[in-house]
Amino acid sequence: AQTVTQSQPEMSVQEAETVTLSCTYDTSESDYYLFWYKQPPSRQMILVIRQEAYKQQNATENRFSVNFQKAAKSFSLKISDSQLGDAAMYFCALSKAAGNKLTFGGGTRVLVKP
Amino acid sequence: GAGVSQSPSNKVTEKGKDVELRCDPISGHTALYWYRQSLGQGLEFLIYFQGNSAPDKSGLPSDRFSAERTGGSVSTLTIQRTQQEDSAVYLCASSPRLGGGRETQYFGPGTRLLVL
């Protein structure tokens, strides 16, 4: 069984500052993918960033970057230069490489203060 | 192009009634997924389709839940004899094809179901 744990229910950040969201996971698979999804109040989940487990290089998408520590089974998300539009729930998720379902963590609410 | 759409956006029903939730995937997407988001259980996988077939129904919580997909497009999730614990947001997603983590799942806005 796969599990994903997000230990921070809520994080607050000042606009233009940086915030880091934590995620740990457990899987017996050697090949898998990790994701961060954003869910704004509209409820529509949006993929923020994806990391392939066999790639050592951390993924980056504009102001979003991850710190993937495979041995520690840790996958944190860093949001740089936070903007008001970044305020949302953020979910960490895991998928087997050949699997077709996402296993989600409990989510972290990000508040951005102007 | 249009994204994944779901209807209704909100649904209130009485305990014991049947409900149908609809998902229209992105045109051309062969894979379709249903998830449930509830306060108690978080986000959980229910079922996925490749074309019209559902190889993995392991996430359906009980035999009151069923889903079908016709014409490789629209999918309907049916909950029979609804219970209060069925209250949740039901999310649908689609991807161009099955491909594990390589394929991005695009989500719809969900249907919020409230069972009184």
Side-chain angles (χ1 to χ4, degrees), chain B residues 32-79:
Chain B
L32 185 147
Y33 315 80
W34 284 98
Y35 294 86
R36 179 169 73 172
Q37 185 173 21
S38 60
L39 285 176
Q41 302 298 322
L43 263 162
E44 53 182 342
F45 165 81
L46 296 179
I47 189 170
Y48 78 84
F49 289 87
Q50 169 58 31
N52 292 334
S53 66
D56 186 355
K57 302 181 180 181
S58 63
L60 294 177
S62 77
D63 58 8
R64 295 186 296 104
F65 288 72
S66 63
E68 66 174 10
R69 190 178 185 196
T70 54
S73 181
V74 172
S75 177
T76 302
L77 178 68
T78 301
I79 309 174

Side-chain angles (χ1 to χ4, degrees), chain A residues 63-78:
Chain A
R63 297 181 295 105
F64 298 88
S65 62
V66 299
N67 183 4
F68 175 45
Q69 301 291 326
K70 191 171 184 178
K73 294 185 176 176
S74 170
F75 183 62
S76 62
L77 175 70
K78 184 170 78 172

Side-chain angles (χ1 to χ4, degrees), chain A residues 81-92:
Chain A
D81 185 25
S82 297
Q83 301 176 0
L84 295 178
D86 295 334
M89 284 291 289
Y90 286 80
F91 292 92
C92 180

Side-chain angles (χ1 to χ4, degrees), chain A residues 17-55:
Chain A
E17 298 291 306
T18 295
V19 64
T20 299
L21 310 184
S22 300
C23 173
T24 57
Y25 62 93
D26 192 24
T27 180
S28 57
E29 301 290 320
S30 59
D31 195 10
Y32 53 90
Y33 287 75
L34 292 158
F35 309 82
W36 280 98
Y37 274 89
K38 172 185 177 182
Q39 186 179 42
S42 67
R43 299 196 306 237
Q44 194 151 6
M45 305 274 281
I46 303 164
L47 179 64
V48 174
I49 200 165
R50 171 183 17 224
Q51 174 80 41
E52 300 172 76
Y54 67 86
K55 287 190 175 179

